[in-house]
Amino acid sequence: MVNDVDSGARWESLADRANVTNLHLLPAGQSQIDSITFSGSVISGTATFIDTVAFDKAWQTHSTYPAGVSGSFEIRCPSVAP
C-alpha cells in the first residue's frame, strides 16, 4: 500500500481477502503484483494498483469501480549487521 499523507491518496496492489476489506470484490487483474524481483536487500517489480479512495467511494455509491493503473515499486530494506 502507498499512502500520500499530503493529498490523502491511497494506492494498493493485490486485493485483500474476503471479510478483511471490500477489495476482494474487484475483478481479477484490477489489483495485483505482476512481477517481483529479490536482489539482496532490494525488492522491486511491477504491479497493477487500485486507487482505494476512489474504490471506497464507488463501493459506497454502487457505481463503477475505478480501473487499475500499472506501475512499479522498489523497497529497500536496511542492512542488518550480523
Side-chain angles (χ1 to χ4, degrees):
M1 181 179 291
V2 177
N3 291 320
D4 183 339
V5 176
D6 294 333
S7 71
R10 291 186 331 237
W11 295 86
E12 187 166 333
S13 184
L14 195 59
D16 220 339
R17 295 184 317 268
N19 301 319
V20 176
T21 71
N22 292 323
L23 292 176
H24 67 278
L25 300 171
L26 286 168
Q30 289 288 89
S31 178
Q32 64 193 21
I33 303 289
D34 298 312
S35 69
I36 192 163
T37 302
F38 298 90
S39 178
S41 62
V42 179
I43 303 167
S44 60
T46 60
T48 304
F49 295 92
I50 193 74
D51 178 342
T52 59
V53 173
F55 172 82
D56 288 342
K57 287 179 184 176
W59 180 78
Q60 291 170 0
T61 60
H62 304 285
S63 55
T64 304
Y65 296 144
V69 176
S70 295
S72 61
F73 62 91
E74 182 174 280
I75 303 165
R76 294 182 173 273
C77 300
S79 298
V80 178

